[in-house]
Amino acid sequence: MIFYNILILFIYYFQLYNTCPLKTVNIQTGCYCGIEIDGTNYIHCHPYSISQIPQFSRSYIYDKLNISSNYIQSITNNSFINLRVRKIYLENNVIQTIDSHTFETIGNYLEELTIQVVNNYQDFNFLCYGTWKKLRYLELIGFNFSLIQSTLQCFQNLKRMEKLVIKNSILFELSHYLYTLPILNDLTLTDNQLEYLKIDNNNQQLSNVKILNLTNNLFKNTSEISTILIKFPKLDTLDLSYNKFNQFSQPSLQVSNINFSHNHFIYLTFDNNLLLNNINYDFSSNQLCTLNNNKTYYHEQNHYYINLSNNRIHCDCRLAYFLFNNDQQLLLLSSKISTSHIFEHAICA
């Protein structure tokens, strides 16, 4: 039985070797083909081992191509000729140029694409060519969205896009070409040094996005966020962690989860303008010292919870009503959800 299993495995790897699209295979220091435990077949290049995209010959469709953390400087129209693959990962290289027709030959196969460029000089003109019939996930790192505004309409080719990630890029305006993709569920705009984000009002179409992630930017005023949220009526989760907020005003759109962790809040007034029913708030890792003590209001609301962990809360007489567990923890049981605490991890400093 053991011999039979070994024989089957040998035959499988022999077939895999014969179908590997790489013209040159170097398992020790270069690029090679393999298969994971779940049956996923892949092409992988060792980190810091190549400076050019390897050459390919026609083969069966592969699941993944990973050329991350290498010395690739340019991607040309010939880089992926003869290759058929579902997912490509190209982050942590030194890519400076991408030819317009680079992905035209594999657009019918690609489902996921992650690509990072340096110096914010590169546009995304390559999205204008090819069919992109299956692309569900796109991550663009280091791109310049202000170079040629007309190319933004090329995002409308991505009819199957479910998650769009834009990181460390030059982005000043949120174009309707980005947020009105028909089945886009998750829009992530992190690490873009955004302090203000103008929203494009040239199109009245609303977004279907349910998750909006604006983590690690420079936003300071929640009123600026409210103008953006008007375009996102189906929004469920809003992540504003790692920004510069120090004052709070309730966003005009009710969502289920709002993350304000790692900001600069010192004081929160819990009143009807701050807390709406059925919203989870995360105010962890701020600089909160005290809270509003309107206990009547708390019991009248149907909150889920408020995460106050990693704050130095000053538990003086104003918060005596909430003290629990030898005056070390703030506790408030919801009258409508008796098994849940409204305050999560609220420990006195």
Side-chain angles (χ1 to χ4, degrees), residues 19-48:
T19 60
C20 181
L22 289 166
K23 288 188 176 181
T24 302
V25 176
N26 187 334
I27 297 178
Q28 297 299 322
T29 60
C31 303
Y32 60 94
C33 298
I35 185 169
E36 297 176 350
I37 296 177
D38 62 359
T40 299
N41 55 10
Y42 62 87
I43 307 164
H44 181 79
C45 296
H46 286 289
Y48 315 110

Side-chain angles (χ1 to χ4, degrees), residues 98-157:
I98 305 173
D99 287 350
S100 297
H101 297 270
T102 293
F103 299 97
E104 192 167 12
T105 59
I106 58 174
N108 287 328
Y109 307 102
L110 272 181
E111 298 177 10
E112 295 186 14
L113 174 62
T114 298
I115 184 166
Q116 180 176 3
V117 296
V118 296
N119 298 327
N120 293 119
Y121 293 146
Q122 177 65 45
D123 62 21
F124 40 86
N125 196 46
F126 58 87
L127 291 177
C128 300
Y129 301 92
T131 57
W132 305 100
K133 289 182 178 179
K134 298 182 179 180
L135 193 66
R136 299 179 293 104
Y137 177 94
L138 175 62
E139 184 170 354
L140 301 174
I141 308 171
F143 283 80
N144 193 330
F145 283 75
S146 64
L147 289 176
I148 306 177
Q149 289 293 308
S150 60
T151 57
L152 284 168
Q153 61 185 323
C154 297
F155 277 88
Q156 294 299 290
N157 295 332

Side-chain angles (χ1 to χ4, degrees), residues 162-180:
E162 297 176 11
K163 182 172 182 176
L164 174 61
V165 179
I166 300 172
K167 297 172 60 177
N168 289 319
S169 296
I170 297 178
L171 176 69
F172 300 118
E173 180 177 270
L174 185 56
S175 169
H176 68 274
Y177 290 118
L178 300 180
Y179 65 78
T180 59

